[in-house]
């Protein structure tokens, strides 16, 4: 009986190996799929989309808490961007016209402005360096998005297929020394990203940032004021380096440091 059981187990293992060997290996190259997405987005003169984001933090008591926001993005290359994001703790409008970056907090009724002549890529880099605000997801719309996304990548693979908002997508997973990140890309002539997940490996509890994107459009913007900022009546201006910059963050005051990394 023992010998029979051993033979059955051995046969089962052998059969499993044979089934795996007989299955056709997928030839999908994750780098090629990612490159097709970044090339497509980078080639578009104008882009707009709606999004929802979830950001997790780990409290000192090691409890994982998630904060959710949603918004819209409008981009006109090379030097115009508008992003509106609304969450439970902030309602922010970012407007960039190629010369000045304006950030308005609808709840705080305050705004900041800074001279930033150049491109959207340069503005995003300057904002992250000067203010310390987390801007995850903006790397997807950079003109050199592929280089930025893969700069520190040590491993990438095609996981398979996944369905995001009813759309079947190619599911890719990449690793860097500090983060694991995944992306779901719609196949076909318009390979847009539908979901993007960044997981920190250097923080306790491995908090995640999740971005779900829909309603991608490449139509030109008819409204001439799309990228023009007009301070609402009664709004007050503050310095970019001011402590009140916390009013523009998607996390509430007192959130543990490192949550946005």
């Amino acid at each position: 009986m023992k010998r029979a059981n051993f033979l059955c187990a051995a046969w089962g293992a052998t059969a499993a190996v044979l089934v795996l060997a007989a299955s056709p290996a997928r030839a999908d190259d994750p780098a090629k799929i990612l490159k097709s997405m970044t090339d497509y987005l980078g080639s578009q003169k104008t882009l707009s989309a709606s999004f929802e984001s979830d950001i997790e933090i780990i409290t000192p008591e090691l409890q994982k808490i998630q904060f959710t926001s949603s918004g819209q993005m409008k981009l006109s290359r090379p030097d115009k961007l508008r992003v509106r994001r609304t969450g439970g703790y902030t309602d922010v409008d970012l407007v960039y016209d190629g010369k000045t970056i304006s950030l308005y907090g609808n709840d705080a009724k305050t705004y900041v402005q800074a001279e930033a002549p150049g491109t959207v890529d340069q503005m995003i880099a300057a904002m992250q360096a000067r203010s310390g605000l987390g801007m995850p997801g903006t790397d997807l719309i950079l003109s050199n998005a592929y280089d930025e996304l893969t700069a520190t990548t040590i491993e990438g693979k095609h996981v398979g297929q996944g369905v995001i908002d009813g759309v079947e997508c190619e599911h890719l997973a990449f690793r860097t020394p500090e983060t694991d990140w995944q992306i779901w890309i719609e196949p076909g002539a318009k390979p847009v990203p539908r979901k993007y997940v960044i997981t920190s490996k250097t923080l306790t509890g491995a908090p995640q940032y999740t971005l779900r994107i829909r309603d991608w459009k490449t139509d030109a913007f008819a409204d001439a004021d799309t990228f023009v900022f007009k301070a609402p009546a009664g709004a007050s201006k503050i310095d970019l380096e001011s402590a009140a910059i916390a009013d523009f963050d998607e996390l509430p005051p007192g959130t543990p440091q490192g949550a946005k990394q």
Side-chain angles (χ1 to χ4, degrees):
M1 287 295 294
K2 288 183 179 180
R3 183 172 183 275
N5 288 339
F6 173 78
L7 290 174
C8 286
W11 166 249
T14 302
V17 171
L18 290 175
V19 169
L20 289 174
S23 300
R26 294 194 64 89
D28 299 301
D29 181 351
K32 184 177 180 179
I33 297 172
L34 182 67
K35 188 68 162 56
S36 70
M37 181 210 78
T38 56
D39 285 351
Y40 174 74
L41 292 185
S43 68
Q44 302 306 310
K45 173 70 175 175
T46 59
L47 284 170
S48 65
S50 300
F51 64 86
E52 294 180 351
S53 64
D54 298 321
I55 185 168
E56 293 180 350
I57 62 98
I58 307 298
T59 70
E61 296 76 29
L62 300 183
Q63 182 179 12
K64 185 175 287 190
I65 304 293
Q66 187 178 87
F67 299 93
T68 300
S69 62
S70 61
Q72 302 82 38
M73 177 277 298
K74 295 179 180 180
L75 168 71
S76 180
R77 298 189 192 278
D79 59 359
K80 291 177 176 59
L81 177 68
R82 186 167 200 135
V83 181
R84 176 71 181 271
R85 177 174 49 78
T86 303
Y89 295 91
T90 190
D91 185 353
V92 174
D93 204 3
L94 179 151
V95 184
Y96 180 60
D97 61 8
K99 297 179 180 179
T100 304
I101 172 74
S102 304
L103 196 61
Y104 174 66
N106 290 278
D107 294 333
K109 302 303 179 186
T110 58
Y111 68 96
V112 295
Q113 286 185 310
E115 296 301 313
T119 66
V120 168
D121 292 14
Q122 292 169 330
M123 179 276 293
I124 290 173
M127 277 292 292
Q128 291 178 317
R130 291 182 61 185
S131 70
L133 287 177
M135 299 178 71
T138 53
D139 45 1
L140 299 177
I141 61 172
L142 296 175
S143 59
N144 62 337
Y146 182 80
D147 293 337
E148 288 293 326
L149 289 167
T150 60
T152 58
T153 297
I154 56 178
E155 180 184 349
K157 61 183 175 182
H158 179 268
V159 179
Q161 277 67 45
V163 178
I164 309 298
D165 292 331
V167 178
E168 184 172 294
C169 300
E170 302 291 353
H171 180 192
L172 312 179
F174 298 87
R175 311 199 79 182
T176 77
E178 296 186 349
T179 64
D180 288 342
W181 60 276
Q182 304 172 70
I183 193 165
W184 287 256
I185 299 173
E186 181 176 340
K190 299 179 179 180
V192 295
R194 292 283 182 169
K195 184 178 179 181
Y196 184 39
V197 176
I198 306 170
T199 305
S200 173
K201 297 189 292 187
T202 61
L203 298 175
T204 301
Q208 287 189 162
Y209 182 88
T210 302
L211 185 67
R212 295 176 298 280
I213 319 168
R214 61 183 186 280
D215 303 328
W216 282 101
K217 294 182 176 63
T218 57
D219 304 327
F221 305 111
D223 188 353
D225 291 336
T226 297
F227 304 103
V228 176
F229 175 74
K230 297 179 181 178
S236 57
K237 186 177 182 180
I238 62 173
D239 294 331
L240 184 61
E241 288 79 12
S242 168
I245 196 68
D247 293 333
F248 301 98
D249 206 347
E250 61 187 307
L251 298 177
T255 299
Q257 294 295 316
K260 297 172 288 186
Q261 296 179 359

